[in-house]
């Protein structure tokens, strides 16, 4: 297993973040993920720089100031409690997160070129789809998928995998630019597991000689980086639902999620 691609909880901290994965840390160009924990009455300020960001409450609510805009996020009790509202922070914007009751907040980011308006994303408008069936059933919250919410480069979704089920299956990849068939995208998986002592597994296998190769036991607060390769399955421990936040971005002219399934694992897929 590549230790560089498996990022255990606490391995990347700093700047007020309990998780801080930027392109330099990941060894790529676009994707970032930060997680900040705020005590009741706490605040956290940041500069967007050359990236666009989406503030996603993991638990708790907050107020997001983005330039001259202000957004009240109701948030949620936990990532297993349903979709949340969120706020989009444009590049080159000074922002602040403030939480009266405290909470944990993810910042999903991607280096970009266009400066779009700051915006609010209501929870009821988040498209939620049921993907797969049986032991491959999972629930996908497409809050910032390419066709649900406008960004310049950033694509972000949440997935809930019921305990004992597989998701990110069949294994798939998006590490080549093949117009109409596959888009080149970097990706971060950030995990939380429901219940104490819960865990799951994440597999990334090479799609090319010397490519990414990871088999990680993941727990709440862990992340896995996917610069290339077939990723999946993501496996949830029986009795413990698994959540992951996917953050993606790439160099393509068009912002799109196009994937290629592993040909050895598609037969019989439901």
């Amino acid at each position: 297993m590549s230790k560089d691609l498996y990022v255990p909880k606490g391995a990347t901290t700093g700047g007020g973040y309990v998780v801080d994965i930027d392109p330099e840390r990941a060894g790529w160009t676009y994707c970032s993920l930060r997680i900040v924990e705020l005590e009741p009455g706490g605040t956290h300020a940041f500069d967007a720089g050359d990236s666009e960001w989406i503030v996603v409450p993991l638990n708790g609510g907050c107020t997001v100031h983005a330039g001259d805009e202000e957004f009240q996020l109701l948030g949620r009790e936990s990532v297993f409690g349903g979709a949340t509202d969120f706020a989009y922070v444009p590049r080159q914007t000074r922002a602040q997160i403030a939480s009266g009751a405290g909470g944990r907040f993810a910042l999903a980011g991607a280096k970009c070129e266009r400066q779009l308006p700051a915006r609010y994303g209501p929870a009821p408008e988040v498209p939620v789809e049921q993907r797969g069936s049986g032991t491959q059933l999972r629930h996908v919250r497409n809050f910032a998928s390419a066709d649900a919410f406008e960004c310049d480069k950033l694509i972000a979704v949440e997935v809930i995998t019921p305990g004992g089920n597989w998701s990110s299956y069949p294994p798939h990849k998006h590490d080549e630019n093949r117009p109409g068939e596959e888009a080149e995208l970097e990706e971060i998986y950030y995990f939380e597991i429901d219940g104490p002592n819960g865990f799951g597994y994440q597999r990334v296998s090479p799609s090319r000689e010397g490519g990414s190769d990871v088999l990680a036991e993941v727990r709440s607060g862990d992340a896995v980086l996917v610069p290339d390769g077939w990723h999946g399955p993501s496996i949830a421990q029986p009795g413990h639902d698994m959540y992951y936040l996917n953050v993606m971005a790439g160099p393509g002219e068009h912002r799109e999620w196009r994937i290629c399934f592993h040909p050895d694992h598609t037969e019989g897929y439901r």
Side-chain angles (χ1 to χ4, degrees):
M1 181 184 73
S2 172
K3 292 183 179 180
D4 290 337
L5 300 183
Y6 166 58
V7 185
K9 180 180 180 179
T12 57
T13 59
Y17 301 109
V18 296
V19 174
D20 187 6
I21 299 171
D22 60 13
E24 183 178 2
R25 162 62 181 83
W28 55 34
T29 305
Y30 296 96
C31 285
S32 296
L33 174 67
R34 299 169 175 171
I35 295 177
V36 61
E37 297 180 349
L38 296 181
E39 297 292 332
T43 64
H44 175 75
F46 68 97
D47 288 307
D50 58 1
S51 294
E52 57 187 347
W53 299 89
I54 292 181
V55 179
V56 184
L58 300 176
N59 69 276
C62 65
T63 301
V64 177
H65 298 268
D68 296 329
E69 300 288 341
E70 177 180 309
F71 308 108
Q72 300 289 337
L73 303 188
L74 296 178
R76 53 192 168 183
E77 290 188 8
S78 83
V79 295
F80 300 99
T84 183
D85 51 357
F86 58 94
Y88 176 86
V89 177
R91 60 170 286 162
Q92 304 301 335
T93 299
R94 180 67 174 173
Q96 182 189 68
I97 304 170
S99 180
R104 299 168 55 253
F105 307 95
L107 283 69
K111 287 190 176 181
C112 66
E113 298 176 357
R114 292 191 298 152
Q115 187 171 21
L116 302 177
R119 279 162 291 142
Y120 173 74
E125 295 182 12
V126 172
V128 179
E129 66 171 304
Q130 178 176 297
R131 193 176 295 170
S133 61
T135 56
Q136 299 164 16
L137 173 70
R138 62 272 203 188
H139 306 280
V140 184
R141 304 168 185 157
N142 291 301
F143 70 95
S145 62
D147 55 356
F149 188 83
E150 185 184 10
C151 299
D152 186 26
K153 292 289 187 182
L154 178 64
I155 297 173
V157 303
E158 298 179 316
V159 179
I160 299 292
T161 306
N165 281 17
W166 286 23
S167 59
S168 280
Y169 191 81
H172 59 282
K173 74 181 186 76
H174 40 68
D175 55 15
E176 294 182 88
N177 179 25
R178 297 188 296 142
E181 296 185 33
E182 185 177 352
E184 183 182 350
L185 296 168
E186 307 159 354
E187 184 165 12
I188 300 171
Y189 279 66
Y190 168 77
F191 296 91
E192 298 207 354
I193 312 296
D194 191 24
N197 304 315
F199 62 88
Y201 290 94
Q202 177 67 43
R203 180 73 171 116
V204 182
S205 54
S207 60
R208 61 189 73 164
E209 185 174 354
S212 298
D213 193 351
V214 179
L215 175 58
E217 181 176 293
V218 294
R219 299 178 182 271
S220 291
D222 293 353
V224 171
L225 310 181
V226 187
D228 58 79
W230 304 103
H231 37 296
S234 305
I235 303 171
Q237 177 190 10
H240 296 266
D241 292 351
M242 178 168 69
Y243 161 94
Y244 52 84
L245 170 63
N246 289 140
V247 182
M248 293 170 276
E253 181 179 353
H254 302 289
R255 175 177 170 255
E256 56 183 353
W257 185 68
R258 291 189 179 273
I259 63 173
C260 175
F261 287 115
H262 196 303
D264 294 344
H265 296 273
T266 54
E267 184 176 354
Y269 170 66
R270 296 175 295 169

